[in-house]
């Protein structure tokens, strides 16, 4: 078990969100989409220029920019 | 029985499909007051029920961060719908229920439309809707919006709710001991002072205070600043406590508990799944492996964009031709039936040419919206944004900005009118504004004939290379200006990209047709009103004041003199000949000479008009960029439509009517004129690329940006920018001896 920022996760790596360290609009949007602590996620891949990143979460696919993924801490298996 | 029913739900939940299925053609699109969010409403009739259905903008939440959310909230407050139909994607239940909970907390009678149960089934998901209904305390009706399955049951449930007029008790979720305790205190305070209780349930107000909702905070301040301060203080205390003890914020805590509540519902046997959900590859994911592949993805995207472009601009040529020939016929008819004079000029050059030119865009807009709706509804547009965002982000834009640029002429020959309208697919307000203000820099189809003319006159060697070079300049210019705007007038942090990649879906034909039709109709209505008015004003500027009688008589005398000097047989031959008939050499000569005088008269009249006088007066300034009064008038005319630049230049150079497509004579005249040089031509090309968009585009900018301010800004700022660039080029070039 190791904790790392979502930004640094590899493609196809899975984990569980342990913290979302941002407030304001970005924090709200991230949480609205279901990225709250305890949620299982898997990095599905990245865009051709390695940004944004695509996640599988709660059965749907979500994309966010690397600098947005920087605020999300994940416990990876 | 009549009732207002609000349709709410997440984007991509099938909300619009359901709305179209319910209302069909009986719908009306307008705007919510003061914002550019579309308001769609329609009528649904079933038995004795007559229901007004309002499609709320798709949102994931009911906070105050996006216009869509604010609009949806305000609608619930101001128009007090009897019932909310909350449409929920059955294959994506957890996240969809997040909004459902917030509706329930608001306490308005509601029923849930559980959509796409067929998709869910194909994914091996089975939902126990009876149990879900019991746990949520509201009716849950399974539907398939695409084919209308379940819509009668759904509407029956909604009608029952509106007849019962039962007061819903707002849902109360536990948000953990710390917050719950504070909520109780806050509610006590709110009730005791009747604080906003006329509009919102007490607990809702408390919740919004806890979420730090700016709109509610400012409303509270206005109503009772004392109570507001007390509530804000309570929130502050608990928030400090939370940060010290568990290192989190109240709003984060609220989201956690909401999702926790959803999980607790779902775990009670609501969903039965086959297989491992998290790692299962759906068809959609398999498609994505190819379409967003690092190497294949961009290539396929390029191909798709090229095909879209071809579709919009090549296939629309036929209907555009119909519209053009219809107005050509109408103009001809008017010319024949009206006496030569001001009225004929107004009807033909002002009204028919003006409106005809603008309505000629209608088929283009139709094809564009059809193409874009297809890409959007199928889910591909989100992939385009995903793949291109990295590049556009650098310039303060969004991956979706590419559509507007390409349609506007990013591949030379588009049109900024549909381009500006294409920014509607962008949900980030600042990025959207920057995109629609810079899209008109692209080289639209109307700028191309001007470039072609100037290239032919001065740079005949390398037409293809130069056109490509100019396309690059306009892209570079648009992106740099976008960045500049995002750092100055549209300053602000980037809107979070956080975006759903919806599963690929086959768009419904009905949806595409309705979508395309309503957009085109909106544009046509504009053409009949605002655009007609502006086109008459421009006509008047280029016509009035008319030449004084003495001048007109001068020209007439000259023509008479010519006729008098010629042998009478020739004059007779010339006057009695049919149009297009072969004339003898002598008669032909007479005709040419008369034409020269006629053209000279047109030139003098143009210079005498308001536009001509403005052009002449501006020469003092524009000489720094190398433009004389003739060019100035042509550029003023270009505000009506860029094509007009060529024909006005023709008139200003006494060449009579010049067809923009066949401008050899004008090109020769320019090449031989001492006032022109390759440097002037280059400076002018840059100016035309960047100066004020044509008024049809300006009208669209005003509509899309929501205020006149941005229309005026685009005219002023663009012209200033263009003039600065042209002057720099001309002055530097002159210094270097070109």
């Amino acid at each position: 078990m190791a904790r790392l920022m979502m930004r640094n996760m590899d493609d196809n790596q899975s984990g569980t969100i342990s913290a979302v360290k941002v407030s304001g609009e970005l924090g709200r949007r991230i949480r609205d989409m279901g990225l709250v602590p305890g949620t299982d996620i898997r990095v599905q891949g990245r865009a051709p220029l390695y940004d944004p990143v695509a996640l599988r979460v709660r059965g749907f696919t979500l994309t966010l920019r690397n600098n947005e993924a920087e605020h999300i801490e994940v416990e990876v298996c | 029985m009549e009732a207002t029913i609000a349709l709410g739900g997440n984007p991509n939940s099938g909300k619009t499909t359901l709305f179209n299925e319910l209302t069909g053609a009986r719908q009306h699109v307008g705007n919510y007051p003061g914002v550019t969010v579309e308001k769609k409403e329609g009528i649904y009739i079933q038995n004795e029920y007559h229901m007004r259905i309002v499609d709320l903008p798709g949102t994931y939440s009911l906070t105050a961060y996006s216009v869509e959310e604010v609009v949806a909230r305000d609608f619930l407050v101001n128009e007090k719908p009897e019932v909310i139909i909350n449409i929920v994607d059955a294959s994506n239940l957890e996240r969809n229920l997040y909004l459902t909970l917030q509706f329930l907390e608001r306490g308005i009678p509601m029923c849930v439309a559980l959509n796409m149960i067929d998709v869910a089934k194909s994914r091996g998901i089975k939902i126990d809707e009876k149990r879900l209904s019991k746990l949520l305390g509201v009716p849950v009706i399974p539907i398939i919006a695409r084919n209308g399955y379940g819509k009668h049951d759904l509407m029956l449930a909604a009608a029952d709710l509106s007849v019962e007029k039962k007061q819903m008790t707002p849902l109360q979720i536990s948000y953990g001991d710390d917050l719950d305790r504070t909520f109780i205190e806050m509610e006590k305070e709110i009730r005791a002072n009747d604080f906003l209780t006329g509009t919102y349930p007490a607990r809702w107000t408390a919740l919004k205070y806890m979420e730090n909702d700016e709109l509610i905070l400012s409303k509270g301040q206005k109503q009772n600043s004392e109570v507001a301060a007390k509530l804000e203080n309570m929130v502050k205390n608990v928030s400090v406590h939370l940060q010290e003890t568990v290192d989190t914020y109240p709003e984060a805590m609220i989201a956690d508990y909401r999702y926790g509540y959803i999980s607790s519902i779902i775990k009670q046997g609501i969903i039965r799944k086959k297989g491992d959900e998290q790692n299962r590859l759906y068809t959609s994911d398999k498609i994505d492996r190819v379409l967003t592949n690092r190497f294949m993805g961009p290539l396929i995207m390029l191909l798709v964009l090229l095909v879209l472009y071809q579709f919009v601009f090549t296939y629309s040529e036929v209907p555009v031709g119909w519209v053009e020939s219809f107005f050509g016929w109408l103009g001809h008819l008017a010319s024949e039936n009206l006496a030569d004079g001001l009225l004929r000029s107004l009807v033909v050059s002002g009204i028919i040419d003006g409106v005809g030119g603008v309505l000629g865009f209608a088929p283009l807009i139709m094809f564009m919206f059809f193409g874009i709706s297809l890409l959007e509804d199928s889910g591909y547009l989100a992939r385009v944004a995903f793949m291109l965002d990295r590049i556009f982000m650098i310039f303060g834009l969004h991956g979706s900005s590419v559509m507007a640029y390409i349609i506007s002429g990013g591949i030379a020959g588009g049109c900024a009118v549909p381009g500006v309208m294409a920014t509607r697919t962008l949900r980030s307000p600042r990025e959207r504004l920057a995109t629609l203000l810079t899209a008109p820099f692209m080289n639209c189809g109307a700028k191309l004939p001007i470039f072609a003319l100037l290239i032919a006159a001065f740079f005949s060697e390398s037409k293809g290379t130069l056109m490509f070079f100019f396309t690059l300049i306009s892209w570079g210019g648009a992106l740099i200006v976008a960045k500049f705007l995002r750092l100055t007038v549209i300053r602000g942090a980037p809107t979070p990209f956080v975006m759903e990649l919806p599963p690929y879906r086959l768009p419904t034909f009905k949806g595409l047709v309705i979508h395309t039709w309503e957009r085109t109709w909106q544009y046509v209505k504009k053409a009949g009103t605002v655009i007609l008015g502006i086109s008459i004003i421009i006509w008047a500027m280029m016509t009035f004041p008319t030449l004084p009688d003495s001048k007109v008589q001068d020209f007439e005398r000259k023509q008479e003199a010519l006729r008098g000097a010629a042998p009478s047989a020739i004059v007779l031959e010339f006057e009695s000949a049919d149009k297009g008939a072969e004339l003898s050499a002598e008669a032909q000569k007479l005709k040419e000479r008369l034409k020269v005088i006629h053209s000279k008269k047109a030139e003098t009249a143009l210079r005498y008009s308001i536009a001509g006088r403005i052009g002449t007066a501006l020469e003092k300034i524009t000489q720094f960029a190398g433009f004389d009064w003739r060019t100035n008038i042509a550029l003023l005319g270009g505000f009506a439509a860029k094509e007009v630049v060529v024909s006005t230049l023709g008139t200003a150079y006494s060449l009579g009517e010049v067809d923009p497509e066949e401008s050899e004579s004008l090109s020769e005249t320019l090449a031989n004129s001492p006032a022109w040089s390759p440097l002037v031509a280059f400076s002018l090309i840059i100016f035309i690329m960047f100066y004020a968009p044509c008024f049809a585009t300006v009208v669209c900018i005003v509509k899309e940006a929501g205020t006149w301010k941005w229309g005026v800004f685009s005219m002023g700022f663009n012209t200033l920018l263009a003039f600065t660039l042209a002057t720099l080029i001309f002055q530097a070039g002159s210094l270097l001896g070109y």
Side-chain angles (χ1 to χ4, degrees), chain A residues 24-25 28-29 31-32 34 36-37 42 44 47 49-52 56 58-63 65 68, chain B residues 61 63 65 92 94-95 98 211 251-252 256 259 277 279 285 294 386 389-390 393 496-499 501:
Chain A
E25 183 178 6
R28 181 71 56 85
R29 293 219 183 240
R31 283 186 275 270
D32 282 351
V36 295
R42 184 168 56 83
Q44 197 153 315
L49 294 168
Y50 298 93
D51 186 19
R56 168 51 57 89
R58 298 179 193 274
F60 72 100
T61 308
L62 185 71
T63 61
R65 290 177 177 156
E68 293 164 351
Chain B
S61 181
T63 56
Y65 278 117
N92 191 355
E94 267 183 275
R95 200 208 58 221
Y98 189 73
E211 285 183 323
E251 47 173 288
D256 290 359
Y259 270 107
E277 164 79 3
N279 293 313
D285 299 327
R294 189 147 292 149
F386 173 65
D389 185 67
R390 187 68 192 89
M393 186 182 85
F497 183 75
V498 186
M499 180 184 77
L501 282 189

Side-chain angles (χ1 to χ4, degrees), chain B residues 76-142:
Chain B
L76 300 182
V77 173
N78 299 332
E79 302 207 24
K80 300 193 181 61
E82 275 84 358
V83 181
I84 303 176
I85 292 181
N86 174 214
I87 180 160
V88 162
D89 176 358
S91 61
N92 191 355
L93 195 59
E94 267 183 275
R95 200 208 58 221
N96 275 260
L97 286 179
Y98 189 73
L99 179 68
T100 310
L101 284 196
Q102 296 183 56
F103 279 135
L104 290 173
E105 287 182 312
R106 188 67 184 72
I108 297 173
M110 185 172 95
C111 61
V112 169
L114 190 63
N115 190 24
M116 295 190 260
I117 46 163
D118 51 339
V119 179
K121 206 169 175 185
S122 74
R123 288 185 166 198
I125 301 171
K126 246 197 119 222
I127 294 173
D128 184 345
E129 75 264 2
K130 293 206 180 72
R131 207 178 172 98
L132 182 62
S133 161
K134 213 162 137 197
L135 290 170
L136 291 175
V138 296
V140 175
I141 289 92

Side-chain angles (χ1 to χ4, degrees), chain B residues 281-293 300 378 380 383 503-505:
Chain B
L281 261 193
Y282 304 128
T283 323
S284 193
D285 299 327
K286 287 181 197 146
I287 300 175
D288 262 339
R289 291 220 157 158
V290 181
L291 292 191
T292 61
N293 177 281
I300 296 173
S378 66
Y380 189 68
R383 271 75 184 180
Y504 289 104
R505 279 176 197 139

Side-chain angles (χ1 to χ4, degrees), chain B residues 468-514:
Chain B
F468 181 68
F469 176 60
F470 291 141
T471 305
L472 287 187
I473 294 184
S474 60
W475 271 92
L479 290 174
I480 291 169
V481 171
K483 182 74 188 170
F484 171 76
L485 293 176
R486 290 287 280 111
L487 290 174
T488 53
V489 278
I490 325 174
R491 216 179 6 242
T495 313
F497 183 75
V498 186
M499 180 184 77
E500 184 184 358
L501 282 189
Y504 289 104
R505 279 176 197 139
L506 205 63
T508 63
F509 189 68
K510 190 175 178 180
L512 289 179
V513 169
I514 291 179

